[in-house]
Amino acid sequence: MKLLKSFVISILFLILISHWAGEIHADDDLVSQVLTLTSGVQTKIVWVEGTSVKGFDTNSGKIKTILDNLAVPGRPLISRDGSQVIFHTGGNKTGIKDFGKPHRTYRVNWNGTDRRLLTENGYLCSLWFDGKTEYAITMKSDRKTFLKLPLNKKGKPEIILSKGKGRAELQLSADGRRGVHGIGSTGWIDFTRKPLKIHRRYGGCRPSIAPDNSYLWFRFYSSHDRLKLFDKKGESWDVTLPYGKEESYYPRWTNHVRYLTHTGRGRFNQLFLSKFAPDFRSIEAHISISGHAPIYHPSARVGLAPQSPRVLPGS
């Protein structure tokens, strides 16, 4: 009896230690489901939950707290090699339309160490890699000036867009020739045109562009149950999200053209990793990663650098 009591106490102690360390072992079945969905490549996922930035890694099988007690965290994104998380803090609430005060953008190691400020005035929009350097793309509080900031090299911020106002989003194609922008009035940008050609007549919100050079992009319907996809010729079609009759939020393309993240099952209640069908006309499969509401701003990296999203299995 004493031996059994000691064993139970030891198990409880280990569980407490695990929680104190900010790590929870995910169900083995969840890791298996993610690897099946992604053809076996390492996948990392991040999201905001309360005042924390959370992360999941198929290699460790753990859901962990990367940082906690943050002042309104938002938009966490994962670097190409998976070693860092870039995110912002600021505003009065977790939401894309809140610009009551400037946002600050940071980078931090996956294990939560070495947190560094990238800019004191930057709402994080996306990451972009030019073949040599990885950049954070941020928007200043004037809501029209977009900068690219090198993540790990010294260098001056470079203005890439300062025309118009009220976009709150900017994502680029792999070659940087196309971009998508907007909230409330979405559209695409042709960066090869001089003067710059900005298209903004599509309505909706949450635009996201494919991470390759297909120039596919989507916007969210105001009903929050499906996406409107566009190809480079302007043809468009609808894609219903899982549980489409219930509201979803925060759809975002991953680094792999076949995968996206979003919330669902009633606004922010669950985080989903979904996979487009090969023709991008439907969602082929999906899995739920976490069900601890509320969940905001999920994003994922399916396969880590130096692998390219164009040659990963399942593309």
Side-chain angles (χ1 to χ4, degrees):
M1 190 69 182
K2 289 183 178 180
L3 184 61
L4 177 61
K5 186 177 180 180
S6 299
F7 176 77
V8 171
I9 291 173
S10 298
I11 292 297
L12 290 173
F13 179 76
L14 289 173
I15 291 173
L16 285 172
I17 289 294
S18 175
H19 280 272
W20 289 337
E23 295 183 346
I24 300 174
H25 282 271
D27 191 298
D28 288 342
D29 188 49
L30 173 59
V31 176
S32 176
Q33 287 180 53
V34 174
L35 292 176
T36 298
L37 185 73
T38 61
S39 300
V41 299
Q42 183 184 2
T43 297
K44 287 189 171 186
I45 304 171
V46 289
W47 64 94
V48 167
E49 192 175 308
T51 61
S52 303
V53 173
K54 301 280 189 178
F56 168 73
D57 181 2
T58 54
N59 273 17
S60 69
K62 295 176 181 178
I63 294 176
K64 62 182 293 179
T65 299
I66 297 170
L67 286 175
D68 200 0
N69 300 316
L70 297 170
V72 197
R75 313 304 292 279
L77 302 171
I78 304 167
S79 63
R80 294 180 71 249
D81 63 3
S83 68
Q84 297 178 324
V85 176
I86 299 84
F87 66 98
H88 71 221
T89 62
N92 300 315
K93 58 184 179 179
T94 299
I96 196 168
K97 293 185 177 181
D98 178 32
F99 297 95
K101 39 186 155 177
H103 294 73
R104 294 183 174 187
T105 295
Y106 298 87
R107 67 173 174 84
V108 66
N109 291 336
W110 182 260
N111 63 8
T113 63
D114 196 25
R115 172 179 164 182
R116 297 192 182 188
L117 180 69
L118 291 178
T119 176
E120 292 187 349
N121 187 350
Y123 179 95
L124 181 62
C125 296
S126 57
L127 301 179
W128 184 67
F129 180 65
D130 68 358
K132 294 181 179 180
T133 304
E134 188 169 18
Y135 297 91
I137 296 178
T138 64
M139 182 186 70
K140 298 187 72 172
S141 56
D142 63 7
R143 297 188 64 190
K144 68 176 183 180
T145 304
F146 291 84
L147 306 172
K148 65 177 186 178
L149 314 170
L151 292 188
N152 299 300
K153 294 174 62 177
K154 291 183 178 180
K156 293 182 179 180
E158 180 182 340
I159 295 176
I160 56 177
L161 183 64
S162 59
K163 185 178 180 180
K165 191 173 183 179
R167 290 197 177 82
E169 185 62 271
L170 180 63
Q171 296 179 28
L172 303 180
S173 59
D175 59 14
R177 293 172 175 266
R178 287 280 184 102
V180 293
H181 66 90
I183 179 69
S185 180
T186 60
W188 60 275
I189 304 172
D190 185 350
F191 283 98
T192 67
R193 294 280 296 273
K194 304 294 181 184
L196 198 65
K197 183 65 174 177
I198 299 177
H199 303 261
R200 51 179 309 166
R201 57 182 177 82
Y202 296 96
C205 62
R206 307 284 177 185
S208 193
I209 194 167
D212 57 6
N213 292 322
S214 64
Y215 304 144
L216 286 170
W217 69 280
F218 64 68
R219 67 164 176 80
F220 217 8
Y221 270 91
S222 57
S223 57
H224 290 258
D225 59 355
R226 62 195 190 280
L227 307 173
K228 172 72 81 172
L229 260 75
F230 300 84
D231 65 15
K232 62 182 179 182
K233 296 180 180 179
E235 181 186 352
S236 64
W237 59 92
D238 292 355
V239 175
T240 300
L241 291 172
Y243 311 104
K245 293 183 179 180
E246 302 178 38
E247 282 189 312
S248 296
Y249 279 79
Y250 306 114
R252 188 180 192 98
W253 235 306
T254 72
N255 64 303
H256 190 303
V257 70
R258 291 285 300 280
Y259 301 93
L260 73 153
T261 52
H262 57 93
T263 65
R265 293 296 286 179
R267 297 172 68 98
F268 317 117
N269 290 343
Q270 286 180 278
L271 187 166
F272 288 98
L273 179 65
S274 294
K275 184 177 184 179
F276 284 110
D279 62 0
F280 297 94
R281 302 274 168 168
S282 63
I283 298 297
E284 179 180 277
H286 69 277
I287 53 174
S288 174
I289 304 299
S290 177
H292 300 286
I295 291 169
Y296 299 95
H297 307 298
S299 65
R301 187 159 287 276
V302 180
L304 310 181
Q307 291 177 298
S308 164
R310 288 178 292 280
V311 298
L312 285 176
S315 28

